[in-house]
């Protein structure tokens, strides 16, 4: 069996939503201290809905595929839905990642959440801080 699914390869070779949104309503940047990969996600939000999402990822193929899939999954979604995005859902949408690459998808979840938090902060929108744990990404990951 191939190491990476066709979907992972497709999103790695033809990533969707690559780029920057200059006037983004929320920007989230996260990094993995161990591998040095960095992911930045930009959101346009209108009336409680993510109307556009873009990403810049300096990282491995799995991180790029995860960012691409995550941005596709959240576009057009209400913020409550976007808050519920998990790395597990991203991995499932990609038809799986090798176990030692699962942590790369965590970056996508964290970058999306960081962008939402940035949006809430900038607009004075109250939220439960427990929804945005401070734990740095992959802090406990021993896979690198
Ligand atoms: Fe660093 Fe994938 S995110 S190896």
């Amino acid at each position: 069996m191939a190491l990476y699914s066709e979907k992972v390869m497709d999103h790695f070779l033809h990533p969707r939503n690559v780029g920057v949104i200059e006037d983004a309503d929320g920007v989230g940047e996260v990094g993995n201290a161990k591998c040095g990969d960095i992911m930045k996600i930009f959101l346009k939000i209108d009336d409680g809905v993510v109307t556009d999402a873009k990403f810049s990822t300096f990282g491995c193929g799995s991180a790029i595929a995860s960012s691409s899939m995550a941005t596709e999954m959240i576009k057009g979604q209400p913020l409550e839905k976007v808050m519920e995005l998990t790395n597990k859902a991203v991995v499932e949408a990609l038809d799986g990642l090798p176990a030692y690459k699962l942590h790369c998808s965590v970056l996508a979840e964290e970058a999306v959440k960081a962008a939402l938090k940035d949006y809430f902060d900038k607009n004075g929108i109250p939220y439960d801080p427990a929804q945005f744990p401070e734990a740095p990404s992959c802090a406990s990951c021993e896979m690198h």
Side-chain angles (χ1 to χ4, degrees):
M1 200 185 104
L3 187 57
Y4 293 106
S5 73
E6 278 178 27
K7 274 200 192 160
V8 172
M9 291 310 295
D10 180 35
H11 278 264
F12 167 54
L13 294 171
H14 311 286
R16 280 62 146 185
N17 312 310
V18 175
V20 170
I21 299 176
E22 295 294 349
D23 59 343
D25 298 305
V27 180
E29 181 172 338
V30 293
N32 181 311
K34 289 186 180 172
C35 64
D37 290 351
I38 295 169
M39 188 183 293
K40 205 165 179 179
I41 286 197
F42 303 84
L43 301 178
K44 279 301 277 182
I45 297 170
D46 191 22
D47 208 12
V49 172
V50 171
T51 54
D52 198 10
K54 291 207 182 302
F55 77 90
S56 314
T57 292
F58 179 81
C60 73
S62 299
I64 290 168
S66 296
S67 329
S68 171
M69 182 56 89
T71 49
E72 283 290 89
M73 290 169 79
I74 61 174
K75 277 205 298 186
Q77 295 296 325
L79 298 188
E80 311 84 68
K81 272 265 172 229
V82 176
M83 273 303 298
E84 290 169 5
L85 182 82
T86 62
N87 80 301
K88 192 165 173 278
V90 173
V91 171
E92 277 169 12
L94 287 169
D95 288 341
L97 279 173
Y100 67 97
K101 283 286 175 182
L102 287 177
H103 63 277
C104 313
S105 65
V106 173
L107 277 186
E109 177 188 332
E110 291 185 342
V112 167
K113 297 227 163 106
L116 278 180
K117 183 173 182 297
D118 182 49
Y119 169 73
F120 292 151
D121 286 342
K122 279 180 180 154
N123 290 280
I125 299 170
Y127 56 83
D128 177 2
Q131 288 180 294
F132 301 101
E134 280 296 316
S137 56
C138 288
S140 57
C141 171
E142 298 302 329
M143 305 311 279
H144 282 85

